[in-house]
């Protein structure tokens, strides 16, 4: 039976930062500063068109091994967060499995509900593209189906999770914890998707915290920060853009305040480097970076349209890696982050 939303009030899942200070994750004193890379490993689709259940092409995966060689030579091993079309296609699943077996890349889960069975939510209308908005049983069923398919194709059960469209909800941590996941990287610090029916992370900082019923799930928000002379007032000033037209445009054009996410997609290298320098100065223990897998082949995302864009994509990473090297910030695996947080919490 299809889940019905007709006549029901649609509520955006409430996502809160932990009020209890004990929920904030800590790391051992000798942990140092590290960076981790997450790759949203997914099907191709037109970013300017509505999402469709029919978009399951994964041809861009043929370019991923070359990208993996680039990152391996730079001393980084990204965590590939794969969704259902990737692991339901034997060729793309084989590519992922080979990178896991040969390079030891971590394989995590990314849930795009509109292409992830079972399909009981009816036609997608945007609201249902955020997994956290679906009925609890349907969320669980989709997660179980994807988790099992990844384990079947890769040979290892995933413990890292990211929701497509950052679409976690009030039940997500409990469901992930019950399914054996140890890390969630769905929250995008300083961003608000409530206008589209999604979660509001505008008051979230990048610091990790423990989530779930038994607090065994480490929430590692995607790294975003403010740069500019007004940085220390960033959250309050940026929020004024919700009511003052063109306010954020004014702040960005005057370079007084800009919000920066650490991705080559939509954020130029100079801004990324400024943000990273600020995060290093702040003593941030884990700096997270990300990109979408179709960007490694021109023509599949708005960020890499042609060969020149692809060269700029790799140049962005070269610049970031050079800065990390100068400051002694080294690559870390997601599992190592969880293990370090476990050690700090247990006092061992």
């Amino acid at each position: 039976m299809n889940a019905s939303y007709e006549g029901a009030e649609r509520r955006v899942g409430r996502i809160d930062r932990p009020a209890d200070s004990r929920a904030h994750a800590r790391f051992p004193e000798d942990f140092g500063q590290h960076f981790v890379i997450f790759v949203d490993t997914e099907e191709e689709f037109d970013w300017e068109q509505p999402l469709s259940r029919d978009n399951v092409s994964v041809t861009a995966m043929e370019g991923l091994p070359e990208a993996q060689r680039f990152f391996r030579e730079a001393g980084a091993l990204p965590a590939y967060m794969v969704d259902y079309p990737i692991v339901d296609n034997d060729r793309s699943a084989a590519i992922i499995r080979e990178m896991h077996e040969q390079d030891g890349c971590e394989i995590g889960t990314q849930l795009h509900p509109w292409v992830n069975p079972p399909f009981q939510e009816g036609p997608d209308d945007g609201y249902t593209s955020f997994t956290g908005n679906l009925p609890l049983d349907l969320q669980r069923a989709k997660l179980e189906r994807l988790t099992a398919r990844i384990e079947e194709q890769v040979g290892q059960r995933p413990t890292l999770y990211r929701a497509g469209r950052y679409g976690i909800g009030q039940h997500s941590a409990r469901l992930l914890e019950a399914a054996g996941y140890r890390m969630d990287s769905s929250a995008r610090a300083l961003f608000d998707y409530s206008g589209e029916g999604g979660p509001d992370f505008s008051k979230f900082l990048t610091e990790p915290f423990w989530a779930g019923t038994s607090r065994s799930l480490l929430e590692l928000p995607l790294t975003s920060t403010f740069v500019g002379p007004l940085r220390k007032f960033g959250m309050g000033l940026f929020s004024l853009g919700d009511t003052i037209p063109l306010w954020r445009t004014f702040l960005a054009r005057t370079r007084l305040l800009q919000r920066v996410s650490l991705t080559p997609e939509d954020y130029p290298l100079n801004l990324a480097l400024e943000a990273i320098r600020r995060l290093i100065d702040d003593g941030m223990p884990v700096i997270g970076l990300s990109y979408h897998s179709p960007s490694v082949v021109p023509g599949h995302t708005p960020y890499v349209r042609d060969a020149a864009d692809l060269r700029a994509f790799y140049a962005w990473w070269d610049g970031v890696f050079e800065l990390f090297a100068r400051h002694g910030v080294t690559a870390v695996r997601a599992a190592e982050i969880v293990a370090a947080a476990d050690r700090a919490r247990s006092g061992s």
Side-chain angles (χ1 to χ4, degrees):
M1 182 175 66
N2 287 349
S4 175
Y5 297 89
E6 293 182 8
E9 180 184 359
R10 295 188 169 194
R11 295 183 175 88
V12 177
R14 183 175 175 82
I15 309 294
D16 292 319
R17 293 176 296 163
D20 186 345
S21 62
R22 291 172 298 180
H24 292 279
R26 301 288 183 262
F27 296 99
E29 290 184 4
D30 61 353
F31 183 69
Q33 289 183 293
H34 303 278
F35 69 89
V36 62
I37 302 171
F38 296 101
V39 182
D40 290 356
T41 312
E42 60 192 30
E43 72 284 355
E44 302 126 34
F45 52 89
D46 188 336
W47 288 53
E48 297 178 356
Q49 297 298 318
L51 298 170
S52 171
R53 193 169 295 168
D54 298 327
N55 291 333
V56 294
S57 175
V58 291
T59 60
M61 286 293 293
E62 298 295 339
L64 202 57
E66 181 179 350
Q68 170 56 25
R69 285 192 292 272
F70 167 84
F71 287 104
R72 182 182 64 227
E73 291 170 1
L77 285 179
Y80 293 94
M81 315 299 283
V82 302
D83 71 354
Y84 199 86
I86 295 295
V87 290
D88 200 44
N89 178 288
D90 287 341
R91 173 56 186 159
S92 58
I95 291 172
I96 286 294
R97 184 168 57 249
E98 183 174 332
M99 292 193 302
H100 172 66
E101 293 173 349
Q102 293 188 357
D103 285 352
C105 295
E106 293 173 294
I107 308 301
T109 298
Q110 183 189 189
L111 205 164
H112 283 186
W114 59 94
V115 288
N116 194 125
F119 301 115
Q120 299 174 358
E121 62 268 37
D124 175 68
D125 61 355
Y127 181 83
T128 57
S129 67
F130 297 98
T131 304
N133 291 338
L134 300 177
L136 181 59
D137 287 344
L138 184 54
Q139 292 185 49
R140 182 184 294 110
K142 285 180 181 287
L143 178 63
E144 289 175 350
R145 184 76 68 89
L146 177 55
T147 302
R149 194 72 173 113
I150 293 173
E151 184 175 15
E152 177 185 2
Q153 290 281 38
V154 178
Q156 186 176 67
R157 190 173 178 85
T159 61
L160 314 174
Y161 180 82
R162 171 169 294 171
R165 306 200 71 202
Y166 318 107
I168 51 175
Q170 58 185 335
H171 303 297
S172 299
R174 176 161 54 90
L175 290 173
L176 292 170
E177 192 178 54
Y181 283 88
R182 293 301 320 279
M183 176 186 282
D184 174 52
S185 62
S186 302
R188 194 180 191 192
L190 306 181
F191 283 76
D192 180 7
Y193 298 96
S194 60
E196 305 171 57
D200 180 4
F201 304 118
S202 61
K203 304 303 181 184
F204 276 57
L205 300 177
T206 300
E207 285 81 358
F209 59 90
W210 295 105
T213 304
S214 62
R215 296 280 174 82
S216 66
L217 181 73
L218 183 66
E219 181 65 48
L220 184 70
L222 278 77
T223 301
S224 301
T225 191
F226 291 111
V227 299
L230 300 180
R231 179 176 185 252
K232 66 179 181 179
F233 307 109
M235 194 174 289
L237 286 176
F238 204 77
S239 66
L240 294 176
D242 295 333
T243 55
I244 303 176
L246 302 179
W247 173 245
R248 291 170 185 164
T249 301
F250 165 75
L251 291 173
R253 288 182 176 176
T254 58
R255 299 185 180 180
L256 291 172
L257 183 70
Q258 290 175 274
R259 181 183 60 185
V260 182
S261 278
L262 296 184
T263 172
E265 300 170 335
D266 227 16
Y267 293 90
L269 178 60
N270 65 313
L271 275 182
L273 296 181
E274 184 178 355
I276 290 170
R277 284 191 288 265
R278 299 288 76 77
L279 291 165
I280 292 174
D281 290 345
D282 290 344
M284 185 66 63
V286 178
I287 298 174
L289 306 96
S290 65
Y291 75 90
H292 295 84
S293 64
S295 285
V296 302
V297 175
H300 291 296
T301 69
Y303 313 110
V304 181
R305 294 292 192 186
D306 52 32
D309 286 345
L310 186 59
R311 288 192 295 271
F313 172 88
Y314 284 115
W316 189 96
W317 288 105
D318 281 333
V320 165
F321 291 150
E322 181 182 351
L323 179 61
F324 281 143
R326 289 204 306 269
H327 288 271
V329 179
T330 58
V332 67
R333 293 163 58 85
E336 293 171 329
I337 298 171
V338 176
D342 281 340
R343 288 197 309 272
R345 183 164 57 170
S346 66
S348 61

